[in-house]
Amino acid sequence: MTFNSLQFLVFFMVVTLWFFRLKTQKGRIWLLLIASCYFYMSFIPEYILILGGTIVVDYFAGFLIEKNVGAARKLWMVLSLIANIGALAVFKYYNFFLGNINTAFQVLGKTMDLPFLKMALPIGLSFHTFQAMSYTIEVYRGKQKAERNFVVYALYVMFYPQLVAGPIERPQNVLPQLKEFRAYNWDNVKEGLARMLWGFFKKVVIADRLAMVADRTFGHTPESSSVALLIGAVFYSFQIYCDFSGYSDIALGAAKVMNISLMENFKQPYLSKGIHEFWSRWHISLSSWFRDYVYIPLGGNRKGSLRRKINVAVVFLLSGLWHGANWTFIVWGALHGLFVILLVGNSNELKEGRPAFVNTLRVIVNFTLVTFLWIFFRSENLSNALSYIQQIFSLKGGTHYIGISKVEFLFSLALIAIMMLREKYAAGHYIASNSRFYIYTAFMVLACYFFGVFIENQFIYFQF
Amino acid sequence: MGKRILSYVFIVLGLAALVISTSRNAMQYISEKRDTTAWWGAYPCLNGDLVSLSYLDAVKRFNPPPDHTPFMHAAHAPSDNIVLYLHGDSYTYHLSDSVFTGTSAFHYIDRNHGMEFSLDSSKRNILIIEVSERYIRPYFSTLRILDEVGNTSKNKQAQTTVFANGQDISYASLIPSFDVNDLFNKYINQNLQCNLFNYNFIIPVFEYKAALNYYVFNRASGDVVISKDKNFLFLKETVSLTDAGSSYTHLNENDIKQLVSNFNTIYTHYRKQGFKEVYLSMIPNAASVVQPEGYNKLIPRIQSDTALKMKIIDAYSLFKNNPALYYLPGDTHWNSRGKQAWIDMVNEYLKQQQL
């Protein structure tokens, strides 16, 4: 069940109305857990067993970590991490590593036909395993008490708005909210719905429209002109932003309607003046997860320049691998890491107080860099990515067709401008006046319907 | 109080919409019973499935042209010694035995349901496997047909229709079953769309959106794509670069060899089961013949593979020369002329079987 589907709209309406009709928090938690199970099972029903398995392991691991001290405490934490990472390794990375081993043997002139796992990647596996690991690590650090109520803990992992594509939450933020009964709040409902509508607009009107261009240029690279390929790359940058941040807006909005505040995941990353700043604004819940649970435990920047660079490289390589079992993601992560190491080492990167035109230029340069790195992220393999980049710089001719008409191209540019301006100058979603809220709602519904591109596209980050 | 009652009403209506849209039986019942003429009736889909899918009825070039070819009956044959089994899809729905030459009985096997059969050893049993191009790879990349169509079928819920002398002999009953996957119907969004919005009084809103896309952005909505020459509509999955049913998805030699190998296994299997001959007829996607530039040549590559044992009823070679003559502009299917041309080809082979 994707957010941009009729099924979700009906599901959301039923669950939310029912949620506010229940008079106890216990009833609400059960309702949300059952709804979340249905939501997850609507993708591939059987995969709930994998999710259920990790929930049970982490629930009991939380107790055991809390109860023990010293080596035993650490042992239970490590076992819990092994269970979660093991699930990721088997279901997400097994075939990738196996493929590489087979290839390596072929290069050596030997055959090693190891059997591949014939199953699709469980939806959102990387998101909910990371959220589960966050819980056990926080319990281990003593910053979070082990949750006694299994239903509450299961809902912490499975809360449907953020189950399959984040934000990757922390137990300290979500668990207390799940346990507290909060009365119906019209202001929260308005803010949540307005945010959801903005998320839908970014997904179905902007991201899926830009996807037609990106799909065309990345699918027809050899015959496309350099200009067409460049437009495709730039449009993909905005597509992935509108797709993922649109998903986050819907997730945060849906939770807000039910009086639950989730962490922000994006803060206008394409207005960043450098790559370091970009990573403090893009997919914040993941970058802060790596910061708190990998970078700082490795020593962060406390153990000298060389160690800091190694730590940054490790974090970005892991970040690339987190996104997918493909060399394109690993190279994408590695290059981001390389640029963070090179540019943050330069003291100019973090210097503030420059003239406006210099800052504007830095934003443009940073966006260009990020866009070129997205080419690795979007391409099916490294060869295609390099070919795409090479053909942009070759300034060759070819077809300028980008999958949409000139009118729609100009319309797409206007939509990007509207989106950027709206998020820069009117970032909030709360509308105090009821009449203005109703007008906004009507306008956004009509805009989403008449200008939406309904092609049942899944959100890009569902695959992770 | 009023808001509370209203919220319960919406909860019940929402749940009902989800449950009904999940149930295959309920959706089948609704689709059979719904009126199409009244203002609250269902969208009648008069101008082709792709026109309906994209709500482009107002664009005349996609409406079906007057089809002057009468639907011919087969010429009389000297003897009716053939029992014809046709394993097919929507291209060959609604055929009766009267269109085929020399047949004493005609059994239609819908690929979506399967069938068990019992061959008449006193007759010449012929099997024709008709498959539209977009289903070749999704269906025949495995050997599931062997499980679904056989003497000892495992598919006990199979709905089979058997014709003899133009009359229905039997219908297997639809036995209700429960499977966890029934709760998660993959067509629930289409069903919800049908239940919540498929009413004649709402259709103009869809048509306005379709007109906006067509006249302003020069494209069709949703899963439909306009051909380069602007005269045909294609199903998006038949022209994408990634779908298995697409005419433009890259195919390597191993893909072809695998399909040929599967067809050979199927051929050997059914010959052993008692069929005198097994024919394969692959009907090209409209895109393959209307817009051949970049076509992956799935059909000609299979047909020309020297290892292929099955005999071919070659629709591709006929249709590629003049697709506009045989395909509907706003439909995934052929027109009645295309259908008749294919039946004529089949009858030629059936005549050979009588000799």
Side-chain angles (χ1 to χ4, degrees):
Chain A
M1 184 190 322
T2 56
F3 280 172
N4 56 331
S5 66
L6 261 180
Q7 185 186 12
F8 175 75
L9 295 181
V10 177
F11 165 87
F12 175 73
M13 179 191 77
V14 169
V15 172
T16 307
L17 290 174
W18 202 339
F19 178 84
F20 284 118
R21 293 270 64 87
L22 296 171
K23 299 297 180 196
T24 65
Q25 191 60 10
K26 188 180 175 186
R28 288 181 172 186
I29 289 169
W30 271 104
L31 171 73
L32 287 180
L33 183 62
I34 292 166
S36 299
C37 289
Y38 175 79
F39 179 86
Y40 191 74
M41 292 174 77
S42 68
F43 294 101
I44 299 177
E46 295 82 359
Y47 286 180
I48 197 152
L49 298 175
I50 300 166
L51 183 54
T54 56
I55 287 172
V56 170
V57 167
D58 292 325
Y59 173 72
F60 287 108
F63 279 128
L64 293 163
I65 292 167
E66 189 178 63
K67 205 173 83 177
N68 288 286
V69 291
R73 185 182 177 90
K74 196 168 191 173
L75 176 70
W76 287 115
M77 197 268 290
V78 169
L79 287 175
S80 155
L81 294 184
I82 288 172
N84 286 291
I85 295 169
L88 271 177
V90 171
F91 296 108
K92 186 165 182 172
Y93 300 111
Y94 175 79
N95 285 347
F96 172 64
F97 285 117
L98 216 59
N100 281 294
I101 290 170
N102 282 340
T103 306
F105 272 92
Q106 280 171 9
V107 169
L108 295 171
K110 296 177 180 176
T111 52
M112 178 72 114
D113 286 327
L114 297 169
F116 284 94
L117 196 64
K118 288 182 179 172
M119 66 181 293
L121 174 68
I123 296 278
L125 184 67
S126 298
F127 285 95
H128 53 74
T129 49
F130 267 47
Q131 183 153 322
M133 283 195 279
S134 170
Y135 168 78
T136 48
I137 294 171
E138 292 296 315
V139 172
Y140 173 76
R141 289 177 173 179
K143 293 180 179 174
Q144 172 66 44
K145 286 189 171 179
E147 177 55 52
R148 264 56 188 166
N149 188 329
F150 179 78
V151 181
V152 170
Y153 175 70
L155 184 58
Y156 159 72
V157 179
M158 294 194 66
F159 184 45
Y160 79 82
Q162 40 96 226
L163 172 59
V164 292
I168 301 166
E169 270 293 351
R170 308 301 165 83
Q172 293 93 329
N173 180 38
V174 176
L175 283 171
Q177 295 189 71
L178 293 180
K179 288 194 274 194
E180 183 186 345
F181 183 88
R182 295 180 181 182
Y184 173 83
N185 182 321
W186 173 233
D187 284 344
N188 282 349
V189 171
K190 280 195 296 183
E191 184 178 348
L193 290 178
R195 185 162 200 170
M196 288 176 78
L197 284 168
W198 179 240
F200 284 125
F201 182 83
K202 283 202 284 186
K203 169 64 179 166
V204 301
V205 179
I206 307 179
D208 286 348
R209 174 168 273 103
L210 303 184
M212 293 191 287
V213 177
D215 289 350
R216 164 76 200 181
T217 57
F218 280 88
H220 293 81
T221 306
E223 69 261 33
S224 297
S225 68
S226 297
V227 174
L229 296 177
L230 191 59
I231 291 170
V234 171
F235 273 28
Y236 181 69
S237 272
F238 285 105
Q239 181 206 339
I240 194 168
Y241 172 68
C242 290
D243 190 284
F244 192 17
S245 72
Y247 174 90
S248 294
D249 283 327
I250 298 169
L252 269 72
K256 190 73 179 178
V257 169
M258 292 180 280
N259 294 323
I260 293 171
S261 297
L262 301 176
M263 71 188 293
E264 291 293 335
N265 226 4
F266 293 91
K267 287 181 182 170
Q268 294 184 275
Y270 291 154
L271 295 183
S272 305
K273 294 184 285 290
I275 197 75
H276 184 267
E277 187 184 351
F278 173 81
W279 277 104
S280 66
R281 291 163 168 251
W282 176 274
H283 202 175
I284 298 164
S285 65
L286 179 69
S287 47
S288 60
W289 195 100
F290 276 115
R291 181 197 63 208
D292 294 345
Y293 302 128
V294 180
Y295 180 70
I296 292 175
L298 286 175
N301 58 5
R302 303 186 306 276
K303 296 186 176 177
S305 172
L306 178 64
R307 183 64 182 271
R308 183 190 67 79
K309 287 172 182 171
I310 292 170
N311 292 343
V312 168
V314 169
V315 163
F316 277 97
L317 278 172
L318 286 175
S319 172
L321 194 61
W322 178 91
H323 281 85
N326 191 326
W327 283 106
T328 53
F329 295 120
I330 296 171
V331 168
W332 171 80
L335 288 172
H336 266 283
L338 181 68
F339 283 111
V340 168
I341 290 167
L342 292 176
L343 297 175
V344 176
N346 175 356
S347 58
N348 286 332
E349 160 78 10
L350 302 174
K351 194 174 165 184
E352 293 298 333
R354 290 189 173 89
F357 80 93
V358 174
N359 282 334
T360 305
L361 195 64
R362 291 173 70 199
V363 168
I364 293 169
V365 169
N366 189 63
F367 175 75
T368 307
L369 173 64
V370 169
T371 294
F372 270 91
L373 297 182
W374 281 133
I375 292 172
F376 289 93
F377 195 93
R378 173 61 178 78
S379 298
E380 281 186 19
N381 53 53
L382 286 179
S383 165
N384 286 6
L386 294 171
S387 167
Y388 196 101
I389 293 170
Q390 184 202 343
Q391 290 197 56
I392 287 177
F393 286 108
S394 71
L395 302 178
K396 74 177 182 72
T399 175
H400 293 310
Y401 181 61
I402 55 171
I404 55 176
S405 65
K406 282 178 187 165
V407 174
E408 192 152 24
F409 170 69
L410 295 173
F411 183 64
S412 302
L413 290 180
L415 288 171
I416 291 170
I418 289 167
M419 182 269 297
M420 294 295 282
L421 290 171
R422 197 264 196 220
E423 296 203 336
K424 169 106 177 130
Y425 296 108
H429 297 278
Y430 176 63
I431 301 169
S433 156
N434 283 350
S435 55
R436 287 179 65 184
F437 170 72
Y438 294 132
I439 291 169
Y440 175 80
T441 301
F443 177 79
M444 291 300 280
V445 168
L446 289 174
C448 285
Y449 176 69
F450 279 102
F451 295 109
V453 180
F454 296 98
I455 46 178
E456 297 224 356
N457 261 359
Q458 277 204 354
F459 288 84
I460 292 172
Y461 265 68
F462 272 28
Q463 62 186 297
F464 307 133
Chain B
M1 186 64 181
K3 282 183 182 174
R4 180 184 296 179
I5 292 171
L6 202 60
S7 67
Y8 280 121
V9 168
F10 275 104
I11 290 170
V12 170
L13 288 177
L15 281 173
L18 287 173
V19 170
I20 291 170
S21 303
T22 300
S23 164
R24 288 170 175 79
N25 289 344
M27 290 309 299
Q28 190 174 343
Y29 179 82
I30 289 169
S31 64
E32 284 171 3
K33 297 295 178 188
R34 280 195 70 184
D35 182 13
T36 56
T37 52
W39 62 272
W40 67 86
Y43 183 36
C45 306
L46 297 172
N47 296 310
D49 55 8
L50 296 175
V51 169
S52 305
L53 210 56
S54 55
Y55 297 103
L56 283 172
D57 296 77
V59 181
K60 297 299 173 201
R61 68 167 59 190
F62 299 132
N63 290 352
D67 200 340
H68 297 296
T69 306
F71 205 74
M72 305 292 284
H73 282 212
H76 179 70
S79 65
D80 291 344
N81 67 337
I82 291 175
V83 177
L84 179 63
Y85 288 80
L86 175 56
H87 180 265
D89 51 30
S90 55
Y91 276 75
T92 46
Y93 281 171
H94 311 302
L95 289 175
S96 73
D97 66 336
S98 62
V99 302
F100 294 111
T101 300
T103 53
S104 60
F106 167 50
H107 302 258
Y108 186 74
I109 309 168
D110 185 339
R111 195 170 53 243
N112 296 314
H113 297 295
M115 179 179 169
E116 55 185 290
F117 58 79
S118 176
L119 298 185
D120 181 349
S121 57
S122 66
K123 306 281 185 182
R124 293 179 74 83
N125 297 285
I126 304 296
L127 173 63
I128 296 175
I129 297 172
E130 172 271 311
V131 54
S132 50
E133 188 171 14
R134 68 188 162 107
Y135 291 120
I136 294 174
R137 293 179 70 206
Y139 190 80
F140 289 103
S141 58
T142 68
L143 294 169
R144 53 188 276 203
I145 187 174
L146 304 184
D147 293 328
E148 294 170 355
V149 182
N151 271 326
T152 53
S153 172
K154 293 174 185 173
N155 186 358
K156 297 299 180 191
Q157 299 157 40
Q159 182 187 28
T160 66
T161 307
V162 181
F163 297 97
N165 301 322
Q167 289 189 330
D168 294 358
I169 291 177
S170 66
Y171 285 93
S173 63
L174 272 171
I175 301 167
S177 64
F178 179 78
D179 184 282
V180 69
N181 289 306
D182 291 343
L183 282 175
F184 304 99
N185 187 337
K186 65 178 179 175
Y187 297 110
I188 189 168
N189 283 305
Q190 290 92 321
N191 294 344
L192 277 169
Q193 162 94 12
C194 182
N195 289 330
L196 298 177
F197 300 114
N198 187 12
Y199 301 95
N200 279 326
F201 69 94
I202 299 179
I203 297 305
V205 178
F206 297 148
E207 290 181 335
Y208 288 137
K209 179 186 163 89
L212 176 81
N213 278 330
Y214 182 74
Y215 292 111
V216 178
F217 298 134
N218 204 14
R219 62 177 168 82
S221 306
D223 291 325
V224 178
V225 173
I226 300 171
S227 66
K228 286 178 185 169
D229 68 5
K230 312 290 182 196
N231 291 326
F232 284 84
L233 295 177
F234 298 142
L235 197 60
K236 192 179 178 193
E237 68 179 70
T238 65
V239 294
S240 81
L241 290 176
T242 51
D243 282 290
S246 168
S247 301
Y248 307 107
T249 307
H250 176 72
L251 287 174
N252 58 40
E253 277 312 305
N254 283 339
D255 295 323
I256 302 294
K257 284 188 191 316
Q258 180 63 51
L259 286 166
V260 169
S261 166
N262 285 354
F263 282 127
N264 286 345
T265 305
I266 292 165
Y267 177 82
T268 306
H269 174 84
Y270 288 113
R271 285 299 300 269
K272 279 184 183 167
Q273 297 238 321
F275 285 101
K276 289 290 178 197
E277 195 51 88
V278 181
Y279 293 97
L280 173 65
S281 187
M282 296 174 283
I283 315 301
N285 293 332
S288 304
V289 286
V290 170
Q291 209 166 271
E293 187 186 343
Y295 174 41
N296 60 24
K297 299 194 184 306
L298 172 64
I299 293 176
R301 284 164 75 181
I302 292 173
Q303 290 186 168
S304 62
D305 194 303
T306 51
L308 184 70
K309 293 178 185 170
M310 265 191 211
K311 291 195 174 172
I312 293 293
I313 297 175
D314 184 7
Y316 172 75
S317 297
L318 177 67
F319 293 169
K320 72 174 183 180
N321 293 326
N322 195 351
L325 194 64
Y326 301 112
Y327 280 87
L328 289 163
D331 200 289
T332 46
H333 302 93
W334 48 26
N335 57 24
S336 56
R337 189 176 291 162
K339 196 175 201 176
Q340 184 60 53
W342 183 80
I343 290 168
D344 291 343
M345 278 190 279
V346 170
N347 284 335
E348 285 303 312
Y349 286 97
L350 294 181
K351 282 178 193 168
Q352 291 172 20
Q353 287 297 329
Q354 290 177 320
L355 297 177

